Amino acid sequence: NAQNRGFVGTGRMRMFTSQREKSFRSSTHTFAHGLGRIPDLVQLIAHCTAADGTYEPGDIVVLSNSIAETEGDIEGCTIMLTTEEVKVFAANAGIAVVVEKDGTGGLDVLNDQTEANSRWDIEVKAFVFDSATQGN
């Protein structure tokens, strides 16, 4: 019913996983997904490649699509979808605001200034669901 939407079948899903790219301030990342239509679901993942705050190489973080403004600088990203591509636009102060993993609840901004000093790689996963699996 309208209040309890969900899957109507167990049909198929197709997934695209991008190559990793260095994330840095004011960067634009374009990933050609080849799924044939606008994805139903997109996930943006950051891979730590060098120590950053409480994060260590090998740590993987799923990024939220949030934006914050601090003293005129913008932190976060926007994800744009087309039938051919997923585009990720990083803000001028960094691609994401994350909670530190040390249990203090403090925040860190993934704000590497250039590709050369970037400590984070980003990766996109995009999914399309066959019509039998789409909500009613």
Side-chain angles (χ1 to χ4, degrees):
N1 64 31
Q3 290 79 30
N4 192 13
R5 297 176 65 93
F7 293 106
V8 296
T10 58
R12 296 181 5 197
M13 169 188 73
R14 289 182 294 131
M15 179 179 83
F16 161 77
T17 302
S18 73
Q19 296 291 323
R20 294 182 191 174
E21 291 189 5
K22 293 286 182 195
S23 165
F24 52 98
R25 293 179 182 191
S26 300
S27 58
T28 299
H29 307 272
T30 303
F31 305 96
H33 57 69
L35 294 170
R37 68 175 208 237
I38 293 174
D40 295 308
L41 177 67
V42 173
Q43 188 176 52
L44 182 59
I45 299 167
H47 298 263
C48 185
T49 59
D52 189 4
T54 59
Y55 289 95
E56 302 166 4
D59 287 343
I60 300 170
V61 178
V62 177
L63 300 180
S64 65
N65 195 20
S66 62
I67 307 242
E69 183 176 1
T70 307
E71 299 176 8
D73 286 326
I74 306 298
E75 301 154 344
C77 66
T78 294
I79 301 169
M80 187 177 92
L81 310 176
T82 71
T83 56
E84 293 87 25
E85 300 172 330
V86 174
K87 289 189 174 192
V88 179
F89 305 101
N92 69 343
I95 196 162
V97 178
V98 296
V99 175
E100 293 283 10
K101 70 175 194 176
D102 62 2
T104 63
L107 296 178
D108 187 20
V109 180
L110 309 186
N111 67 350
D112 300 326
Q113 295 191 13
T114 67
E115 185 174 8
N117 72 5
S118 177
R119 294 165 288 185
W120 292 89
D121 290 350
I122 59 168
E123 170 185 61
V124 165
K125 291 184 187 266
F127 305 85
V128 293
F129 301 98
D130 286 348
S131 59
T133 63
Q134 293 178 359
N136 52 359

